[in-house]
Amino acid sequence: MSEVVSARAASASATREAIGRAARRLFNRQGYAATSVRQIAAEAGADPALVIRYFGSKERLFLETMPVEGRFDHVTHGPLEGLGRRLVTSLLTEAPELTFSIWRSMLRASDSDLVRERLVTAMEQMFIVPLAPRLVGPHAELRARLVAAQISGLLDAVAVLGDARITEASLDQLVVLYGDSIQTLVDPPIDPTLDEQN
Amino acid sequence: MSEVVSARAASASATREAIGRAARRLFNRQGYAATSVRQIAAEAGADPALVIRYFGSKERLFLETMPVEGRFDHVTHGPLEGLGRRLVTSLLTEAPELTFSIWRSMLRASDSDLVRERLVTAMEQMFIVPLAPRLVGPHAELRARLVAAQISGLLDAVAVLGDARITEASLDQLVVLYGDSIQTLVDPPIDPTLDEQN
DNA sequence: ACCTTTCGGTCAACAGTGTTGACACGCGGG
DNA sequence: CCCGCGTGTCAACACTGTTGACCGAAAGGT
């Protein structure tokens, strides 16, 4: 079924994929703004005009080459107890280079409304949607969104600001400290001023 | 003493300040990448070349027009008890528009090493330096840096991603929920695996 | 008073950007 | 066989940040 239907089509999809690979590499290494369409084309051995013709614009090429599907379902669907710690572990352990460079690239390119919306829906799909209905106690959705905010903060510190003290800290310490802080929002709040009404 | 030393010098500083004002307005409204030097010059009634001559480059103009001095000393120097809540209150209350737009602009422009370094030192001066030596218990500096990360996360959610559910939530709820989560890192950790040695 | 230097401001140009349209060429289907 | 369509190429557009030469008038010296 995936046979070569024609030499032309094969050539087309081959160069398209070459452009995509070059774009992914360069965007991750240099960021969105510092990477030019001409540079991508040169690295892929193609013409700059082809890049636009195949992907519509530099912006859409960027979106297409930045995968943001959820890879944290096994955590967000797991038991609520200790979820904070497992979330931090998963973030810092599973394909961290990819997670970090994508976060860095997309956050810096979030001038663009398309990029920003993609980032927002990615965070919602990955964390808020699976987490919010599971949280017990008042303000479940708000708390889930604040968990996502905390994750953003950790990613900022590591991937954008590059805080060496955090990067070089032991994984165990980060997991316990930041994980327990996240857990505060996962567990039902104890403050009596937070009524059960909305 | 601050008399007009000459008509030329007065004119020079006047146009320089006009350029600075226009730049600050446009950078905050449209972001760094979307604002052109020619647009700033037009708004200030000056020549694009003058913008570069006075400020060196668009990047340095951006840095000069983005004030990042600390405005949270009264919180970070206050009592440790309830510091998390007061931090969130201060962030969301005192000149929030300015705080948010500056955070958004600088984070998106952090492709530039100068901007990134400025952002890092600003966070350190505002939160980590005053907070770290005051925290009791193990890993004081790491915990202070993680507090700063949490602040980044809140700013991301509000200023960059524009999470409506968080923006529209009542200040009291945010203060209690996120503030208490931050407080987890301010208070000494209880986990016995975190020894007192580094 | 004049002459010279200094300096704010203007203009044109440079190399580079994303994007668009017209054009060439060779494989595919009639 | 030939026509058409699609892959690829080329040149151009309007725009970007930045640079250097130039102009004119104010400042300083004699």
Side-chain angles (χ1 to χ4, degrees):
Chain A
M1 43 180 67
S2 72
E3 286 299 301
V4 175
V5 288
S6 75
R8 282 187 306 179
S11 167
S13 68
T15 60
R16 192 186 201 278
E17 284 167 19
I19 292 172
R21 277 194 305 272
R24 182 176 284 107
R25 280 230 319 276
L26 292 172
F27 281 144
N28 276 337
R29 191 192 310 165
Q30 313 173 348
Y32 178 79
T35 303
S36 75
V37 171
R38 284 171 172 82
Q39 188 183 3
I40 295 170
E43 183 123 342
D47 192 274
L50 262 191
V51 176
I52 301 298
R53 278 253 293 255
Y54 279 146
F55 292 90
S57 69
K58 181 190 178 186
E59 187 183 10
R60 287 212 286 276
L61 168 60
F62 176 75
L63 284 174
E64 201 155 323
T65 55
M66 292 284 122
V68 290
E69 317 95 58
R71 294 182 303 275
F72 303 100
D73 292 359
H74 55 107
V75 177
T76 53
H77 287 89
L80 291 178
E81 188 180 352
L83 191 143
R85 292 189 179 189
R86 289 198 307 282
L87 208 45
V88 175
T89 304
S90 185
L91 275 168
L92 299 177
T93 292
E94 300 171 13
E97 212 116 345
L98 187 64
T99 305
F100 295 165
S101 65
I102 290 180
W103 176 260
R104 178 175 49 232
S105 298
M106 295 205 66
L107 203 65
R108 286 176 175 162
S110 64
D111 280 304
S112 147
D113 282 346
L114 278 91
V115 173
R116 208 202 68 245
E117 284 167 17
R118 175 79 147 258
L119 208 49
V120 168
T121 62
M123 293 296 284
E124 287 181 346
Q125 291 304 313
M126 286 199 287
F127 302 110
I128 297 165
V129 166
L131 216 52
R134 300 192 56 215
L135 297 187
V136 302
H139 311 299
E141 175 164 2
L142 181 58
R143 280 156 54 209
R145 298 188 107 89
L146 292 176
V147 167
Q150 283 187 305
I151 293 168
S152 305
L154 185 59
L155 291 175
D156 277 5
V158 174
V160 180
L161 303 180
D163 189 318
R165 304 292 177 97
I166 293 183
T167 308
E168 296 166 2
S170 85
L171 180 65
D172 293 338
Q173 292 171 7
L174 290 175
V175 165
V176 170
L177 290 171
Y178 210 78
D180 286 0
S181 178
I182 292 180
Q183 191 69 32
T184 301
L185 284 164
V186 173
D187 294 334
I190 49 179
D191 192 289
T193 64
L194 298 168
D195 296 357
E196 58 281 345
Q197 74 229 10
N198 185 35
Chain B
M1 43 179 66
S2 72
E3 286 299 302
V4 174
V5 288
S6 74
R8 282 189 306 178
S11 167
S13 69
T15 62
R16 192 186 201 279
E17 284 167 20
I19 291 171
R21 278 194 305 271
R24 180 175 285 107
R25 278 231 321 275
L26 292 171
F27 280 144
N28 276 336
R29 193 192 311 165
Q30 312 173 350
Y32 177 79
T35 303
S36 76
V37 171
R38 285 171 171 82
Q39 190 182 0
I40 295 170
E43 184 123 342
D47 192 274
L50 262 191
V51 176
I52 301 298
R53 280 252 294 252
Y54 279 147
F55 292 90
S57 68
K58 181 189 177 187
E59 187 183 8
R60 287 212 284 276
L61 168 60
F62 177 74
L63 284 174
E64 202 157 322
T65 54
M66 291 284 120
V68 289
E69 317 95 57
R71 294 183 302 274
F72 302 101
D73 292 0
H74 56 107
V75 177
T76 54
H77 288 89
L80 291 177
E81 188 181 353
L83 192 145
R85 292 189 179 187
R86 288 198 307 281
L87 208 43
V88 175
T89 304
S90 185
L91 274 167
L92 299 178
T93 292
E94 299 170 15
E97 213 116 346
L98 186 64
T99 304
F100 295 164
S101 67
I102 289 180
W103 175 259
R104 179 175 48 230
S105 298
M106 294 207 65
L107 203 66
R108 286 177 175 162
S110 64
D111 280 304
S112 148
D113 282 347
L114 280 91
V115 173
R116 208 202 68 244
E117 285 167 17
R118 175 80 146 257
L119 208 50
V120 169
T121 63
M123 292 297 283
E124 288 181 345
Q125 293 304 315
M126 286 199 287
F127 303 110
I128 297 166
V129 167
L131 215 53
R134 300 191 56 215
L135 297 187
V136 302
H139 313 298
E141 175 164 0
L142 181 60
R143 279 155 55 208
R145 298 188 107 88
L146 292 177
V147 167
Q150 283 186 305
I151 292 169
S152 305
L154 185 58
L155 290 175
D156 277 6
V158 173
V160 180
L161 304 179
D163 189 317
R165 304 291 178 96
I166 292 183
T167 308
E168 296 166 2
S170 85
L171 179 64
D172 293 338
Q173 293 171 5
L174 290 175
V175 165
V176 170
L177 290 171
Y178 210 77
D180 286 0
S181 178
I182 292 180
Q183 191 69 31
T184 302
L185 284 165
V186 174
D187 294 334
I190 50 178
D191 192 288
T193 64
L194 296 170
D195 296 357
E196 58 281 347
Q197 74 230 10
N198 188 25

